[in-house]
Amino acid sequence: MQTVRTYTAEILAELSRTLDTLSESEVADFIQAIIGAGRVFVAGAGRSGFMMKGFAMRLMHLNIDAHVVGESVTPPFTSGDLLIIGSGSGETRSLVAMAEKATKLGGSVALITTTPDSTIGRLAKAVVQIHAQPKQGPSGGAAMTMQPMGSLFEQSLLLFGDAVVLRLMDQQHIAAAEMFARHANLE
Ligand SMILES: O=C([C@H](O)CO)[C@H](O)[C@H](O)COP(=O)(O)O
């Protein structure tokens, strides 16, 4: 049995290996989709959903009109809006239905996933592949992990989102202090 410290070191090595394989052109298309959108809606199920909520908060801090699908105060999705889905499998049923509806409404879909060749991947106009194991089981290469299920994907999703936020801060000359001024003050 390893110690928690050696496990965390192995997790960090896995994350570094996985995120090192991100495609710059996929990321550029993803960022362009955000910048060009009317409003941005984010969605994900389970642990993937937790990571997407964190990303939505930072988009709001960046002054992007961002919403989390399913909240009681979420406005309707309309033409010109962007739905960003974080889904390792790209096959989670509720998210497939959401992606189909967003497309029907005249908006577009961006997907962050381990599985670009999935139902949501085929609907999406921007797909960022994260080379991590799908939640059902092992795969090879940079996707190799000692962690259970979709953990490597879900951690990568959080770090990917934070890296995109840094890129947007650079591109749009937004300082952390400006973002903090938009943070909730009734906590
Ligand atoms: O919560 C999850 C599970 O713990 C897998 O590690 C998944 O994020 C959830 O089941 C959603 O799955 P995907 O849409 O395939 O990311």
Side-chain angles (χ1 to χ4, degrees):
M1 199 196 321
Q2 296 186 41
T3 65
V4 166
R5 276 177 61 185
T6 57
Y7 281 133
T8 55
E10 181 55 30
I11 290 170
L12 289 172
E14 289 184 356
L15 283 165
S16 173
R17 218 161 39 228
T18 292
L19 290 167
D20 215 34
T21 66
L22 277 173
S23 152
E24 287 297 346
S25 71
E26 286 180 4
V27 174
D29 289 349
F30 178 81
I31 289 175
Q32 202 42 55
I34 293 175
I35 292 170
R39 287 179 302 190
V40 175
F41 291 71
V42 310
R47 284 169 48 105
S48 306
F50 296 148
M51 308 307 168
M52 294 308 290
K53 283 187 177 177
F55 184 50
M57 181 197 265
R58 285 286 182 264
L59 293 180
M60 176 275 289
H61 289 149
L62 287 169
N63 209 21
I64 290 170
D65 195 355
H67 304 275
V68 175
V69 173
E71 303 282 311
S72 55
V73 292
T74 304
F77 185 93
T78 57
S79 159
D81 291 341
L82 174 70
L83 172 63
I84 304 178
I85 295 177
S87 172
S89 61
E91 298 293 348
T92 300
R93 302 254 330 231
S94 57
L95 300 173
V96 169
M98 224 177 267
E100 286 170 347
K101 183 151 187 191
T103 307
K104 248 186 223 149
L105 289 166
S108 47
V109 175
L111 175 68
I112 313 158
T113 187
T114 63
T115 324
D117 187 19
S118 55
T119 307
I120 303 174
R122 287 187 287 276
L123 281 170
K125 81 160 183 187
V127 178
V128 176
Q129 182 174 15
I130 290 182
H131 291 94
Q133 163 181 291
K135 66 183 173 190
Q136 302 89 335
S139 46
M144 281 303 290
T145 179
M146 65 185 295
Q147 302 181 69
M149 302 164 70
S151 291
L152 179 57
F153 168 71
E154 293 138 19
Q155 294 154 355
S156 299
L157 196 52
L158 178 69
L159 298 193
F160 168 73
D162 277 350
V164 167
V165 167
L166 286 170
R167 188 66 188 269
L168 286 166
M169 287 172 72
D170 276 352
Q171 275 181 10
Q172 306 194 355
H173 311 290
I174 297 172
E178 187 187 328
M179 292 168 69
F180 186 67
R182 294 194 192 97
H183 187 58
N185 60 1
L186 291 181
E187 290 182 320

